[in-house]
Amino acid sequence: MNIISKRIVAIFMVVIILAGIPGLFSLSFVKGVGRQVLYGYRENSMPEGATTSQRIKRIFTKIEDMIEISFTGEYVNLNGLVQKSMGKKVISDVVNANTVVKLDNGYLTFVFDEYKDTAHYAKSVADLRSFVKNTGSDFLYIQAPYKNFAYGDKIPDGVNDFIKDTTKGMVSNIKSNGVETLDLSIRFTECEVNGESMFFRTDHHWTVQGAFNGFRMVADELKENYNFTFDEKFLSQDNYTVETRKGSFLGSQGRRVGKFYAGMDDLSLMYPKFETDFSFEIPNRSVSKQGTFKEVMFDFEKLEPKNFVVSNNYLVFIGGDYDLTVIKNNLNNNGKKIVLIKDSFSCAFAPFLSLITQELHLVDLRYFKNSELKNYIKSVSPDLTIVMYNCAALYDNDDFFDFN
Amino acid sequence: MLFPSQIFLFIFLPFTIFFYYTFFRKNRRLQNVLLTVMSLLFYAWGEPVFVFVMLGVIGYNYLFALLIDKHSLNISKAKAILVLSLICNILIFFIFKYLTFTLENINGVFNSQIPVPGIALPIGISFFIFQAMSYVIDVYRKNGEVQKNVLNVALYISFFPQLIAGPIVRYQTIADQINSRKESFDYFSSGVCRFIFGLSKKVLISNNVALVADAAFESESPSVVLALLGAVAYTFQIYFDFSGYSDMAIGLGNMFGFKFLENFDYPYVSKSITEFWRRWHISLGTWFRDYVYFPLGGSRVDSKSRLIFNLFVVWMLTGFWHGANWTFILWGFTYFILLSFEKLTGLHKKMNWLGHIYTMFFVILGWVLFRAEDISHAGAYISSMFGINGNPVIDDVTRLYINEYFVFFIFAAIFSLPVSKVVREKLGDKKISSVLYPIITCGLLLLSISYIVKGSYNPFIYFNF
């Protein structure tokens, strides 16, 4: 082979490698390495009896995980393009649970390849309900939906998905424990309603249309069974302005396969045309805002263009997940108070719910100290305590159901 | 640390090359020190404690070789030192790799309660122990000059390109190169190209067909087609993984002016098992041939029983070398039977096209044994392959894997054959080859990096649930 050809390849490889060398001397990387070395060795997450070698190896592995070469996003895009050209429908992931599957309609999803017994989760919810009832508050468990319910028949043959069975089991367990339940998962049977998408193509969350749809179902339930009163105008989409940013969002599933594999999502924001006045607070982050729905419910900084590797436009909804967020409706001083124990689906949903409440306290148990939950509920003394999780939360994290 | 990783490609390798060809360019000793230090760091990254085991192995083999050289005129003394060095090496090897297995089996057979220690296996011990033994033996045989500088011994034994997965570099082939190699940009470029081809084999083909192999072997009841597919997938996986690593090792060696011998020569075109073992893991085969088979007499012995015995020893050791499990021992024993049969009948010299089928049949079955967790798993799996255990012929899961991975199987089948050799010969120095070669090679590099990045890419899902 012509040696010139080989020289060209050698120069190309040198250029590619030099271009990709990560920023090792940034403060955040140095801090991260320091943290790993100082604390990683003592971290309790190592199993008991872990040897010195295992601990040191773990530190090295963590440091390696921190390394991110330049142009990571471009390489992920390239990989996604190649996978698409080969017609691949299942894209394996470094974390098996985050394997991305392309449905027959082009939507992406995660799948859950084993049935999970949720009896202990249902029991935890029932125990919380008992506690809440004793404080004089009402209780409601809401099963938020998941994309796979709407498009279960479009999962490629041969791919096993047990999320429906697990969710049905959870709802059944909850109900048999005597807990008031609203199951939204069986109501979201279509991904699109009247041409509007209920779920993102590349993200596991519902869209703002999906969240609004869910809000309407919840509002009906609260009106019928919990004595909530509100103006029906809140439930009509005609009273809202919808702003759509076309092709601007690459979601949790899309980020794992790049923007060419399944395209990008539109991201819509929906805010009332009618008058609103809210106080919005994230107490532990010193965030405090007052203003209209549009002014307080959206964090527009999160929409600034960034590399999709580091950005997540879904964070525009109330700024993301925090241990505690408090929203007060200054135009509904006679309204009811709700404590909503939530996951990220509530980020798009809670703004609408706040329209029919006086106070809405959003608690995320991934960040909120579980042991302080009951004291907090007592201190707020809500009219209603809601636990609302989407179906995938049943697989994710025991913290969600640790109410003690 | 693995070659197909971001830390190796974008930190370790450029750092090493940069310092090798700039600050240390004019000093061979410093270059060797740099390579040794980086090699030890490379190993320590994956084995922070066992790196001291390797240092110990380097140290005592260095001393043994010096002693052998000092007493080279006293053959019996030199031989005694050699034997002592081999005992030390084999003992270390046995303790780390085989002690637990041995004690477990003794307890199983004799119902005894001997405590079984949980000893972790240092990565690459099979390779660096054999290289260390090669060094001492070659010094004894005067096939290479003894190294007075311990760092040169350390470099030979621990050199990062071949430390983890070979090829097993024989000391006599590299002795002169430690101090007298010649680097050039052309040689460096050839090394880069070789490295990229090896990287592509590992990342693009092996890692992908491995998903099919894993699904088949981990299934409790694979369909017949999935079981067959899984066996073929593993056949491709192990070849492209191992030969890919060898290509990368050879390419990396070239980048620093070293020339290593080839380790694979398209083994799946073989027409006999004899031919297969001349093409597969050549460095291991020649190691056993030169250090075990020939000293036992090889094929030039007076009796067939002695020949069979020699083959038995070599192939049981070969099987055992691969791992402490009865599957590897049975695998080695199977090849002993086949090779003895061929040697005694001369069949390997008479094979026609049927030889390809005969060879691949036993090679694939052998890989099933190699991959299985234990012998009963291997038996169950082979039963699935032949539809004996009542599993369906095909199911949705199998169809999914066929649809998802058929492209990889096609490429694997093509590149198991010496296609690139034939294409190079046909195109020669034509202009089109000068255009296509860099385009394809650079494309493979980018694709490989994209798979490496994707394989370690775990974006924080802020709103995970």
Side-chain angles (χ1 to χ4, degrees), chain B residues 433-463:
Chain B
S433 71
S434 307
V435 172
L436 283 179
Y437 184 88
I439 291 174
I440 291 171
T441 315
C442 295
L444 286 173
L445 175 64
L446 290 176
L447 270 182
S448 299
I449 294 174
S450 82
Y451 270 87
I452 289 168
V453 168
K454 171 74 181 109
S456 59
Y457 175 59
N458 188 16
F460 178 51
I461 299 182
Y462 186 51
F463 285 141

Side-chain angles (χ1 to χ4, degrees), chain B residues 282-294:
Chain B
I282 298 167
S283 64
L284 181 73
T286 54
W287 197 100
F288 276 115
R289 181 196 67 193
D290 292 347
Y291 295 130
V292 178
Y293 191 60
F294 283 169

Side-chain angles (χ1 to χ4, degrees), chain A residues 72-108:
Chain A
T72 289
E74 282 70 16
Y75 283 116
V76 174
N77 283 337
L78 173 63
N79 190 271
L81 183 62
V82 170
Q83 306 266 17
K84 182 182 179 181
S85 64
M86 289 194 293
K88 291 280 302 294
K89 290 191 173 179
V90 180
I91 310 298
S92 310
D93 196 88
V94 59
V95 176
N96 190 47
N98 293 334
T99 293
V100 173
V101 173
K102 189 186 259 189
L103 302 175
D104 292 346
N105 63 347
Y107 276 56
L108 303 181

Side-chain angles (χ1 to χ4, degrees), chain B residues 301-312:
Chain B
V301 290
D302 295 333
S303 66
K304 279 187 183 161
S305 57
R306 178 65 193 203
L307 171 65
I308 301 294
F309 172 77
N310 293 348
L311 287 169
F312 177 79

Side-chain angles (χ1 to χ4, degrees), chain A residues 7 204 256 314-315 321, chain B residues 45 186 404 458 462-464:
Chain A
R7 287 180 191 164
H204 61 286
R256 307 189 99 76
Y314 190 76
L315 301 177
D321 293 311
Chain B
W45 191 262
D186 289 348
E404 291 286 295
N458 188 16
Y462 186 51
F463 285 141
N464 199 23

